[in-house]
Amino acid sequence: MNTTSNCVTGTHMSEVWAVIVSIALFMIIYAYITAKIKERKRKKARAQSLPFVEDNVRLGVKYNVFLNDGRKFLNVELLGSSSVEEGQFSFAGWEGMLVLKQANHKRIFLKQSSVRYIEEI
């Protein structure tokens, strides 16, 4: 009798675990879908109040670059950003530096995080 009751209890446990896993899976899917819907509504409201601008800095255009510490580089051209390759010396660990060109054709290398804002001339 004891053996029979253990077998019956074992089959019910697998059903209980199946229900628990199903509920957990349903909650994850529900949370994902509601987060996506909420994000879509937020983007739609944002676009109606203040639309996003697709414009960005461009090559060949003159800019005034203002740094966090108050220094500024006026009338410079943006050349791009640099990346450090393996084995190449990186000055003070500054990967991804912003490269500018002055009117006298000398280059300026700036840590991207030091730039406060860039003004197009």
Side-chain angles (χ1 to χ4, degrees), residues 40-58:
R40 185 179 305 147
K41 286 180 182 179
R42 189 186 64 78
K43 282 184 180 181
K44 196 174 193 179
R46 168 81 161 103
Q48 290 174 354
S49 63
L50 185 63
F52 289 102
V53 177
E54 297 296 326
D55 200 13
N56 209 336
V57 292
R58 298 180 305 272

Side-chain angles (χ1 to χ4, degrees), residues 55-106:
D55 200 13
N56 209 336
V57 292
R58 298 180 305 272
L59 299 177
V61 178
K62 299 289 184 176
Y63 294 100
N64 292 332
V65 178
F66 298 87
L67 304 182
N68 291 330
D69 62 1
R71 289 183 293 156
K72 53 190 167 189
F73 295 100
L74 304 176
N75 198 23
V76 294
E77 186 178 335
L78 177 66
L79 294 179
S81 62
S82 67
S83 63
V84 178
E85 297 175 8
E86 285 188 38
Q88 185 180 6
F89 176 72
S90 171
F91 180 69
W94 290 359
E95 289 84 21
M97 296 181 68
L98 189 63
V99 183
L100 308 173
K101 183 171 77 172
Q102 294 178 326
N104 62 4
H105 300 289
K106 291 191 177 189

